[in-house]
Amino acid sequence: MSEVHYDETLDTKGLNCPMPVVKARKKIGELAPGQVLRIISTDRGSIKDFQGWAKIGKNLELLGQETVDEDGTELYLHFIQKTS
Amino acid sequence: MSVSDVTTPSGKVDMNELLERLSAVEQRVETLEESQPDDMVALIVFSGELDRVLAAFVIATGAAALGQEVSMFFTFWGLSVLKQGRTLAGKGLFEKMMTVMSPNNSTDLPVSKMNYFGVGAKMLRQMMKDSGVSSLEEMMAMCKEMGVKMLACEMSKDVMGIRDEELMDGLEPAGVAAFLGESLRSRTNLFI
């Protein structure tokens, strides 16, 4: 479904602002430097949220974002790498 | 170290003067760096209404998730958010009246519009649940977990007759200087 390589997935389907970012923060702490986290969200605001998160986070890089359709529900995928 | 003047095409340069100016600039840069704000967010929670308090906690949890150091300063009606019950013992008449008319804890908070004796607040909570938004109480727990600092204004506690045992644990008693100590170092300051 996607071309970006990732190590871990965080499912935040059904959760609204600010939960996807809060959960992602917790999850990325468990990753090793260089690893990539894929976040699945149903929150439309999460696109801008993760852009902002990556911009402010000192050790984060947003590798890509995708919107996919799953049985009529739009899913927003975010790929974030922990750089250090 | 001995320095000698240097002759350049544009004339003679006094090296001593140059070094003096350099150290003056270094000092100013250091002062500037010290006065730069930190990655901190300071919120004053003055309101005691569910909708406004929610806004404060969404920002607080979001900022904490973004790696900011967050401090929330609760004052006046905002203290209702931190209550875990009420006591009347040892209070004066006005204090008792204030206690009885104030929310018992965060689940009692009214909404700022269309409250209709609490029906509006119940409706809003249900609508939040339906939209996958965390409840106020969940956000408060998250804030604690993420190390958000919560300060309770001593002066408004005294004025409103709120006792320590009526408030939740883990709060730091604070005054205006304690808040300003945080806010002056913060990049973002909000009064809600």
Side-chain angles (χ1 to χ4, degrees), chain B residues 41-110:
Chain B
V41 175
L43 307 175
I44 301 181
V45 185
F46 179 91
S47 312
E49 287 115 347
L50 179 64
D51 41 356
R52 294 195 166 115
V53 172
L54 264 169
F57 274 93
V58 170
I59 296 167
T61 45
L66 260 52
Q68 303 286 303
E69 201 182 304
V70 186
S71 42
M72 304 178 85
F73 186 77
F74 293 85
T75 185
F76 276 92
W77 312 114
L79 286 170
S80 295
V81 183
L82 307 174
K83 277 175 114 177
Q84 55 169 10
R86 51 168 72 118
T87 36
L88 294 174
K91 287 190 182 177
L93 176 64
F94 289 164
E95 287 181 341
K96 277 182 186 159
M97 281 166 63
M98 198 73 147
T99 305
V100 172
M101 290 188 291
S102 298
N104 211 357
N105 54 51
S106 63
T107 59
D108 265 4
L109 300 180

Side-chain angles (χ1 to χ4, degrees), chain A residues 14-19 21-23 25-26 49 52-53 56-58, chain B residues 39 58 61-62 64-68 131-134 139 142 145-146:
Chain A
L15 294 176
N16 216 323
C17 173
M19 286 315 292
V21 176
V22 172
K23 294 235 172 197
R25 172 86 196 174
K26 224 182 267 178
D49 272 1
W53 191 53
I56 293 165
K58 288 191 178 72
Chain B
D39 286 342
V58 170
T61 45
L66 260 52
Q68 303 286 303
S131 315
V133 178
S134 304
M139 283 192 215
M142 270 185 280
E145 204 184 306
M146 290 192 288

Side-chain angles (χ1 to χ4, degrees), chain B residues 97-191:
Chain B
M97 281 166 63
M98 198 73 147
T99 305
V100 172
M101 290 188 291
S102 298
N104 211 357
N105 54 51
S106 63
T107 59
D108 265 4
L109 300 180
V111 272
S112 64
K113 290 200 195 314
M114 302 189 286
N115 188 47
Y116 303 117
F117 302 103
V119 176
K122 281 215 170 64
M123 218 173 79
L124 180 68
R125 279 182 182 269
Q126 187 57 47
M127 289 163 84
M128 282 167 56
K129 206 173 165 186
D130 296 343
S131 315
V133 178
S134 304
S135 73
L136 174 59
E137 289 68 30
E138 284 167 342
M139 283 192 215
M140 286 166 78
M142 270 185 280
C143 276
K144 266 193 188 159
E145 204 184 306
M146 290 192 288
V148 170
K149 231 191 273 176
M150 300 204 193
L151 307 117
C153 171
E154 276 299 304
M155 186 269 265
S156 29
K157 264 169 67 189
D158 287 348
V159 171
M160 300 170 82
I162 299 170
R163 306 282 186 259
D164 280 338
E165 61 266 28
E166 291 177 284
L167 298 181
M168 56 175 70
D169 301 325
L171 303 173
E172 299 176 36
V176 67
F179 171 73
L180 287 172
E182 307 278 325
S183 84
L184 289 170
R185 285 166 52 216
S186 302
R187 259 180 246 284
T188 302
N189 282 280
L190 295 173
F191 184 98

